[in-house]
Amino acid sequence: MNVLWDGSGPLTVAELATRLPNPDLAATTLLTVLSRLEGKGFVVRHKVGRAASFAPTATREEHVAETLRAVLADAADPSAALAHFVGGASAEEADVLRGALRRRRRD
């Protein structure tokens, strides 16, 4: 996913292979992983003739936010978990959170 997120657009299997830390992975292995990611809704396949390219369905930041929401939903006490999270935030992170809450109130 990091390679797709760092890309400037949809990537083919061959393009992905050259950007991976282990470029020796077989194209069929990459295609299997991409197909599974597509099935889970993480990537979308773009077909052009017989060729296919893949792109993430969400940005890295959107994915992280959705993961945080899922973790909070799984917590026995989501309010306490969120309070612990905020309690461990740095001053800079707290400023970002305050700004996001102000924007949300305006909207």
Side-chain angles (χ1 to χ4, degrees):
M1 286 303 303
N2 285 330
V3 173
L4 289 171
W5 282 321
D6 292 340
S8 59
L11 298 172
T12 66
V13 171
E15 291 168 331
L16 274 166
T18 63
R19 298 176 188 197
L20 289 173
N22 179 2
D24 297 330
L25 288 173
T28 54
T29 301
L30 289 175
L31 194 53
T32 297
V33 170
L34 289 164
S35 293
R36 289 182 180 165
L37 288 170
E38 180 183 24
K40 293 180 180 201
F42 291 111
V43 301
V44 63
R45 180 187 312 240
H46 300 278
K47 291 204 87 161
V48 179
R50 290 180 48 187
S53 60
F54 296 84
T57 57
T59 66
R60 180 184 281 119
E61 293 74 18
E62 290 166 337
H63 174 70
V64 168
E66 184 58 35
T67 301
L68 289 171
R69 281 191 288 278
V71 167
L72 284 173
D74 285 346
D77 186 348
S79 296
L82 189 56
H84 282 290
F85 174 77
V86 171
S90 68
E92 182 179 307
E93 291 165 336
D95 287 342
V96 170
L97 285 168
R98 278 191 283 281
L101 289 169
R102 277 193 297 275
R103 284 189 300 281
R104 183 166 189 244
R105 277 190 228 122
R106 283 195 303 258
D107 295 341

